[in-house]
Amino acid sequence: MESFIHFGMGPSRQKDDDPFAITFPMGNSKLALVSLSDIGKMVCACFQDPATIGTTQGAMSDALTCKDIANLFAKYCNFPDVTYNDVPTEVYASFGFPGAAELANMFRYYKEFEDQFISSREANETALEKMGGTE
């Protein structure tokens, strides 16, 4: 989740009188989000359970639509409003910043295989208990 801020994916605007916005090619599909804190908790849970060493474990803090993410930015960053701009994958790929085409392809996968992607990020119950639960 910190990637939104640290890698320039958070709300921005073109001009001072424009609304803040986030732009992704995700439609109404959900993104699996994970915070650095939850990654650390999952690693700690894996170290506590030797059976998980060498296995693939999911880690996800939340799964939200980009509209939901925009609303959270507005709420917690004290912006008057944050808009979600949905663009076609090809348009996102053409934005011209380093990695735009690769990110567009990643988002295409997330959108086209949303159910599989989200379910692959869910932590198992044992790990959740060792991480401190689901709440």
Side-chain angles (χ1 to χ4, degrees), residues 46-91:
C46 287
F47 284 143
Q48 294 175 24
D49 183 0
T52 62
I53 305 299
T55 65
T56 300
Q57 298 294 314
M60 178 174 63
S61 304
D62 209 342
L64 301 171
T65 66
C66 291
K67 177 80 173 145
D68 293 335
I69 294 166
N71 290 337
L72 288 173
F73 271 121
K75 179 178 178 180
Y76 290 105
C77 295
N78 202 26
F79 293 128
D81 189 29
V82 177
T83 303
Y84 165 51
N85 298 317
D86 179 34
V87 297
T89 305
E90 296 73 23
V91 170

Side-chain angles (χ1 to χ4, degrees), residues 2 9 14 28 33 40 61 63 80 88-89 95 104 106 113 122 127:
E2 290 83 357
M9 297 175 129
Q14 300 296 318
N28 292 321
L33 305 172
S61 304
T89 305
F95 282 167
M106 177 188 74
F113 300 99
E122 293 173 346

Side-chain angles (χ1 to χ4, degrees), residues 6-71:
H6 297 298
F7 295 105
M9 297 175 129
S12 63
R13 56 186 177 182
Q14 300 296 318
K15 298 181 291 190
D16 286 344
D17 57 345
D18 285 347
F20 283 92
I22 59 172
T23 303
F24 295 101
M26 288 297 298
N28 292 321
S29 298
K30 291 183 177 181
L31 281 170
L33 305 172
V34 62
S35 69
L36 293 175
S37 173
D38 285 344
I39 291 171
K41 290 176 185 177
M42 176 53 82
V43 170
C44 185
C46 287
F47 284 143
Q48 294 175 24
D49 183 0
T52 62
I53 305 299
T55 65
T56 300
Q57 298 294 314
M60 178 174 63
S61 304
D62 209 342
L64 301 171
T65 66
C66 291
K67 177 80 173 145
D68 293 335
I69 294 166
N71 290 337

